[in-house]
Amino acid sequence: MPALAQQQTAPPPSTQNARSASAGERPDDKPDNEVRDQQTAAVDDDAQAAAPVALKTVVVTGARKLGEGTTAPVAPGQYRLRAEDWAAAAMPAANPLLFTRNLPGVTVTSADAYGLDASDAFIFVRGFFNNELAYTFEGIPLNDGSFGSVTGNSVLSVGVPDNIGSVKVAPGSARVSTFSSTASGGELLYALTDLAEAPKLAATVGRGSHDTQLYSLTWQSGRIGESGPRLLLGVQQISKDKYTGHGTQQFLRANFKAVQDLPWGDVSMFVSAARAQVWGYNNTSFDMLDKLGWKGTDIFYPDYAHAYHVASPENAQASCGAYTCGDLASQVPYDTGQATTDLIGNIAHRFTISKSLSGKLMVYGASNRSDIEISDVTVPSQTGAPFSSQVWQPRSHRGGATAELTYKSDRHDASVGVWVEHGSSRSAVNWYNQPALGTGAPLKAVGPYTTYGPAFETANLSRWHTSSTQLYVRDVVTLGDVSIDAGFKAVRFVTAGGGVGPDQAPTGKLGVTAPFLPHLAVEWRPAAGSLLFVDTGASTVAYRISPRDNIGPVNSAWSATDQETFDAAVKTLKPEKTWNLTLGGYQRMGAARVNADVYVGWIRNRLLNGATGPQFAPVRSVGIVPRSHVVGADLTVSADLLSWLTLSQSWSVSRFRYDSSLEVPGEPVDLRGKSQPGYPGQSFITQASVRRGAFEAGLASTLFNRQPFTYSNDIYVPTQWTVNANASYKLGASGAMPELQFRLDVNNLLDHRNIGSVGIGGYSVSGDYQTFQRAAPRQLLLTMSASY
C-alpha cells in the first residue's frame, strides 16, 4: 500500500498520540484517513455515551470486544479484522480465509475444520469467487491462488496463521492502490503482527479429534541494541487424520521478518515457506451420496486389493453394491491427494523525503510447486495394475516490483504508484505406474511417484509467460466530517503460451488493456457513532490460466478440449469488466450498533467453463456470458446486552444473475435469469461473545440457503448450517512462570451433516455432477499456549 511510508512522516503530536492509542493499529500500512476511521470506530465502541469526545484531537480507548471488527466498517466499505475478531470463526492453525467467515456477505467453505486442502477451501465475497478477488500478503500481490494455479499463491500457503496481525477486507471493490491481476470484486489484505520492541517468545501445543496434533512457536528478538534490527520468526506444524476413510493431512509453515530502522525510514525483509502433504477427500455427486451413504463415497485407500478388484476389467459388469464395479471404479478412486511447496518473500524500503513527501520501494519473488494426484482407471499401469497414478504438476515462478510516493498535507493524502510483474509457468499431466497386486507397496498420493519407473505417459504439457503492469493515482481529501477518496488505475495484462507437447493442447496469446479504471469513495460522519458512505469502482482482470484436463475449478480459455475449440472461443472472448457500487451506513444507539449496506455490480464478459465427464478426465466447454449482475444487501445488528455479553446478528441476501446466454461454439446455452452456482442467495450469521475476567467464550452460527449447484439451477445444495464454539482461560505470568492460556474449540458443535464446498471440479450446465465434498463432522481441538 502507498502509505507504508506514512510512519516516517512527522504528523502533529495529537495525531501521533492517537495512532499509538488505537488498540494495536498499524499506522504504517494505510493512509491517514483509514487511521482516522479506525480511531473513530474505537471511540464509538469504547467510549462512554455520556462523555463527549472531540474526534479529531482525543481518542478514548477501552477493551475491544470479540467480533467488533465484523460489525463496523473502518472506512467506506472496508473492515479491519484482528485475532479477537476471528476467534469464533476459525480454529488455531486454520486456513486464513476462514478468518473472514463471520463477515456479512462472505461465504467460506471447506471439507474440514482447518481448510488445509487447497482443492476444497473456497471463498465467495458478494458473488465473486477465490480467483476474482484481490489478495496481498505483506504488500505482495498473490494474484490467482486457486487450486492448481500457475499465476499466483494461495493465502493458505503464505505466512504462519499465529503471526497474522490483521486482515483488511473490502467486500465491494478493491482500491486502486491494491496491486492485483484478479480484482473483479473486493480485496483481502493480510499483514503480520507488528514487530515488538522487547523480546517475546510464545509456544502453542494442541491435541484434537482424529489425531490432530498442533505445534507452533513464535520468537521475537525485540530491538537488538539501541538501533539494531527487530526480528520475528514463526514456525507451525499441524497434522491430522481424515475424519472419514484413511489418509493424513500435514502442513508445515514458517515465516521470517526483519525490520531495520534508518534515520530516513526503514528496510524490511519478509520470507515465507510452506509445505503441504494432504490426502484428499473424494469428490461426490448427489447420486453417490444417495446410493453409497454419508460415509461410503470416500477413497479406497489403503485397501489396495479391493481397489484393484473393483477396477479390474474382468469385473466391470460384476455387482459392487449399488453400482457395477466398472461404474464404481470410475467414481471412487484408490486415492487422491496433493503435495505443494510455496516460497514467497520481499525486500521493502520505506523512506521520507520531506515532512510531506514519503515513499516505498519493494521487490518480491514467489514460486509454487504442486503435485496433484488421483488414481485413473482409464489409463492402466504398464505393470499390469488396472489403474495408474495421474499427477497434475503445475509450476510457477513470479517476480515483481512496486514503487510508490505519498504526499500529505492538512487536507490531502495523495499517492501515486506503479507495479510491474513477470511470471513463467508450466503444467503437465503425467501418469506413473502402480504395482501389480502383491509385487510391492502402492504409490502414495503425496509421492514419491517414480518408485516403479518414470512417467510412462505425458499429456497437456504447456508453458506460459505473463506480464502485469499497473499505474494508479489516488487522493484522499478530508473536508471536516467528509472524506473523499478518489483515484484511478491503468492496467495491462498479457498472457502468452499454451501447449508445447505432441498432443497439441491449446496455445495462444490474450491481452487486456484498460487505461482508466476509476474509483470513488465518499464518507460522512455527521456525529460520533454515525457513518454514511458510498463506494464505487471499475475493474478488469487478466485472462485466467488453467490447462486442458485440469481437475480444478478455474474458468480458462486454455481449458478448451482442442485448438479448434480454443480458436472458436477466442473469437468471442472479451476482457471481463466489472463495476461495483455500495451504499452503506453505521449507527451507534446506546449499547446497540447497526451496520447496513446495499450493493449492485455489473459484470461484462464473464468467462465460464461447463464441466462434464469423470473427475480424472473432465471435458470443458469455454465461452462468455456478455452480461451479468449481482445485487444484494447486508444488515448487522449487535448489542452489548451486559458488560460481559455481546450479541450480533447478520442477514445477507445476494443474487448473482446471468442476463444473457453462455456463448459457446455451436448452440448457445440460455442462462438468462439463472443464478450463479456455488454462492448462497441467503446467509445468516449469529455471534455471541462472553468476556469475564480471564475467561472468554464465543459462539458463531452460520446458515447458507438457496445455493444453486448448476448453471441452469435445476439442482440446489441443501441448506448448510454450522455452529462453532470456543472457550479460553488465561493465567497471568507469575515470577518465572509465563502467561498461560487454555482454549477449547469445537467445530460443528451440533454435528450437523452438511455439504461443504461445491464446484471443486467445476460446475455442470445441468444435472448431477461429481464435484462437491461433505463438510466435517463435530471436531474438537484443545490448545495450551505459553507466552514469555
Side-chain angles (χ1 to χ4, degrees), residues 18-171:
R19 289 182 179 182
S20 64
S22 59
E25 188 60 271
R26 289 172 58 97
D28 58 327
D29 68 353
K30 58 188 181 301
D32 273 5
N33 75 301
E34 296 181 29
V35 174
R36 176 179 58 81
D37 296 330
Q38 180 62 42
Q39 294 164 358
T40 305
V43 170
D44 178 41
D45 287 343
D46 297 322
Q48 295 294 329
V53 178
L55 293 179
K56 295 184 180 178
T57 58
V58 179
V59 171
V60 181
T61 62
R64 284 177 57 87
K65 299 180 182 299
L66 290 172
E68 179 183 278
T70 65
T71 61
V74 297
Q78 292 182 326
Y79 296 84
R80 190 171 185 83
L81 309 182
R82 297 183 183 83
E84 57 265 38
D85 299 314
W86 60 70
M91 287 186 171
N95 181 343
L97 288 177
L98 292 170
F99 294 177
T100 66
R101 182 161 58 182
N102 289 342
L103 272 173
V106 175
T107 301
V108 184
T109 61
S110 67
D112 73 277
Y114 304 90
L116 300 183
D117 188 345
S119 70
D120 61 65
F122 289 173
I123 183 172
F124 275 100
V125 179
R126 293 184 180 173
F128 293 95
F129 187 54
N130 286 38
N131 59 356
E132 297 165 337
L133 304 169
Y135 300 85
T136 68
F137 199 108
E138 284 291 302
I140 303 173
L142 299 186
N143 295 334
D144 183 357
S146 54
F147 182 52
S149 171
V150 292
T151 57
N153 297 78
S154 169
V155 70
L156 167 63
S157 300
V158 182
V160 175
D162 285 356
N163 295 165
I164 296 175
S166 66
V167 185
K168 186 164 67 175
V169 184

Side-chain angles (χ1 to χ4, degrees), residues 227-446:
S227 58
R230 290 166 291 152
L231 310 177
L232 178 149
L233 175 64
V235 181
Q236 184 183 80
Q237 180 178 3
I238 180 172
S239 63
K240 63 186 186 65
D241 294 337
K242 292 169 55 182
Y243 55 78
T244 187
H246 295 270
T248 59
Q249 299 185 331
Q250 300 180 349
F251 221 112
L252 177 64
R253 304 176 174 106
N255 58 224
F256 173 79
K257 185 174 181 179
V259 178
Q260 174 63 62
D261 292 327
L262 302 170
W264 60 88
D266 65 37
V267 175
S268 65
M269 180 180 71
F270 163 72
V271 178
S272 170
R275 172 67 172 167
Q277 293 182 307
V278 176
W279 264 265
Y281 298 95
N282 186 33
N283 291 352
T284 302
S285 67
F286 288 105
D287 182 69
M288 292 170 61
L289 199 64
D290 179 60
K291 292 180 178 178
L292 299 177
W294 191 256
K295 296 183 178 181
T297 66
D298 203 33
I299 59 178
F300 290 128
Y301 173 84
D303 195 342
Y304 190 71
H306 182 59
Y308 204 97
H309 170 81
V310 171
S312 296
E314 62 269 21
N315 299 323
Q317 299 305 315
S319 174
C320 279
Y323 295 101
T324 65
C325 291
D327 287 340
L328 184 63
S330 68
Q331 298 181 83
V332 179
Y334 165 65
D335 67 359
T336 183
Q338 59 191 279
T340 63
T341 302
D342 286 78
L343 183 64
I344 189 168
N346 71 358
I347 297 176
H349 176 39
R350 298 184 300 180
F351 54 90
T352 298
I353 300 174
S354 67
K355 181 178 179 180
S356 300
L357 188 63
S358 58
K360 178 188 176 185
L361 300 173
M362 180 183 72
V363 294
Y364 67 90
S367 67
N368 169 266
R369 177 188 177 95
S370 297
D371 295 315
I372 301 167
E373 189 269 357
I374 186 171
S375 296
D376 185 355
V377 297
T378 66
V379 181
S381 296
Q382 294 178 327
T383 60
F387 53 83
S388 59
S389 281
Q390 179 198 114
V391 187
W392 176 25
Q393 297 179 310
R395 311 282 190 261
S396 69
H397 300 275
R398 298 183 295 125
T402 65
E404 298 167 278
L405 284 175
T406 300
Y407 174 80
K408 292 175 58 62
S409 65
D410 291 341
R411 291 187 175 180
H412 293 270
D413 186 349
S415 57
V416 59
V418 63
W419 169 48
V420 177
E421 178 185 284
H422 291 276
S424 62
S425 59
R426 66 182 298 272
S427 178
V429 179
N430 288 304
W431 283 264
Y432 296 88
N433 286 312
Q434 287 279 13
L437 190 63
T439 63
L443 302 182
K444 296 181 178 180
V446 296

Side-chain angles (χ1 to χ4, degrees), residues 132 180 220 287 314 334 337 455 463 543 558 722 737 765 784:
E132 297 165 337
S180 174
Q220 293 207 52
D287 182 69
E314 62 269 21
Y334 165 65
R463 292 190 178 93
Y543 284 100
W558 284 273
T722 303
M737 289 293 294
V765 173
M784 182 183 73

Side-chain angles (χ1 to χ4, degrees), residues 435-582:
L437 190 63
T439 63
L443 302 182
K444 296 181 178 180
V446 296
Y449 307 109
T450 57
T451 304
Y452 302 100
F456 65 86
E457 186 174 327
T458 298
N460 304 320
L461 179 62
S462 303
R463 292 190 178 93
W464 296 272
H465 294 278
T466 61
S467 66
S468 301
T469 305
Q470 178 176 327
L471 169 71
Y472 81 86
V473 177
R474 180 185 183 189
D475 190 14
V476 182
V477 183
T478 302
L479 303 171
D481 295 325
V482 176
S483 70
I484 302 172
D485 182 347
F488 76 93
K489 61 183 177 182
V491 301
R492 177 173 171 79
F493 307 122
V494 178
T495 303
V500 295
D503 57 339
Q504 298 180 341
T507 185
K509 182 177 181 179
L510 294 172
V512 177
T513 300
F516 184 72
L517 296 169
H519 179 267
L520 174 67
V522 180
E523 174 192 78
W524 178 38
R525 295 182 182 267
S530 297
L531 164 67
L532 294 172
F533 73 86
V534 57
D535 176 78
T536 185
S539 62
T540 191
V541 296
Y543 284 100
R544 300 175 184 89
I545 304 175
S546 196
R548 182 175 65 186
D549 289 351
N550 76 85
I551 56 177
V554 176
N555 295 324
S556 169
W558 284 273
S559 298
T561 302
D562 51 38
Q563 189 69 42
E564 182 180 2
T565 303
F566 177 89
D567 293 339
V570 166
K571 294 177 182 179
T572 62
L573 293 185
K574 297 177 181 178
E576 181 176 315
K577 295 185 177 181
T578 305
W579 190 290
N580 293 308
L581 170 66
T582 305

Side-chain angles (χ1 to χ4, degrees), residues 517-712:
L517 296 169
H519 179 267
L520 174 67
V522 180
E523 174 192 78
W524 178 38
R525 295 182 182 267
S530 297
L531 164 67
L532 294 172
F533 73 86
V534 57
D535 176 78
T536 185
S539 62
T540 191
V541 296
Y543 284 100
R544 300 175 184 89
I545 304 175
S546 196
R548 182 175 65 186
D549 289 351
N550 76 85
I551 56 177
V554 176
N555 295 324
S556 169
W558 284 273
S559 298
T561 302
D562 51 38
Q563 189 69 42
E564 182 180 2
T565 303
F566 177 89
D567 293 339
V570 166
K571 294 177 182 179
T572 62
L573 293 185
K574 297 177 181 178
E576 181 176 315
K577 295 185 177 181
T578 305
W579 190 290
N580 293 308
L581 170 66
T582 305
L583 303 173
Y586 171 78
Q587 180 66 54
R588 172 89 184 213
M589 298 173 291
R593 297 171 293 275
V594 178
N595 181 43
D597 60 59
V598 295
Y599 58 88
V600 61
W602 296 270
I603 303 92
R604 296 293 180 264
N605 308 316
R606 169 161 283 202
L607 181 67
L608 300 180
N609 288 155
T612 59
Q615 58 180 333
F616 41 75
V619 178
R620 302 183 188 276
S621 57
V622 178
I624 63 170
V625 176
R627 296 184 306 279
S628 308
H629 75 277
V630 59
V631 60
D634 304 309
L635 173 65
T636 301
V637 179
S638 59
D640 303 323
L641 299 185
L642 299 168
S643 61
W644 48 270
L645 174 63
T646 300
L647 295 180
S648 172
Q649 176 65 59
S650 297
W651 298 267
S652 296
V653 179
S654 183
R655 291 187 177 182
F656 190 110
R657 293 292 180 91
Y658 301 112
D659 299 323
S660 51
S661 298
L662 171 61
E663 297 183 357
V664 295
E667 187 73 20
V669 180
D670 189 1
L671 296 182
R672 289 173 295 180
K674 304 300 183 182
S675 297
Q676 173 180 251
Y679 184 58
Q682 302 168 353
S683 63
F684 306 88
I685 301 173
T686 305
Q687 298 182 79
S689 62
V690 173
R691 175 177 292 177
R692 297 209 68 172
F695 175 78
E696 296 181 13
L699 185 76
S701 168
T702 305
L703 186 147
F704 299 141
N705 194 24
R706 298 294 297 171
Q707 186 175 2
F709 184 66
T710 65
Y711 286 117
S712 63

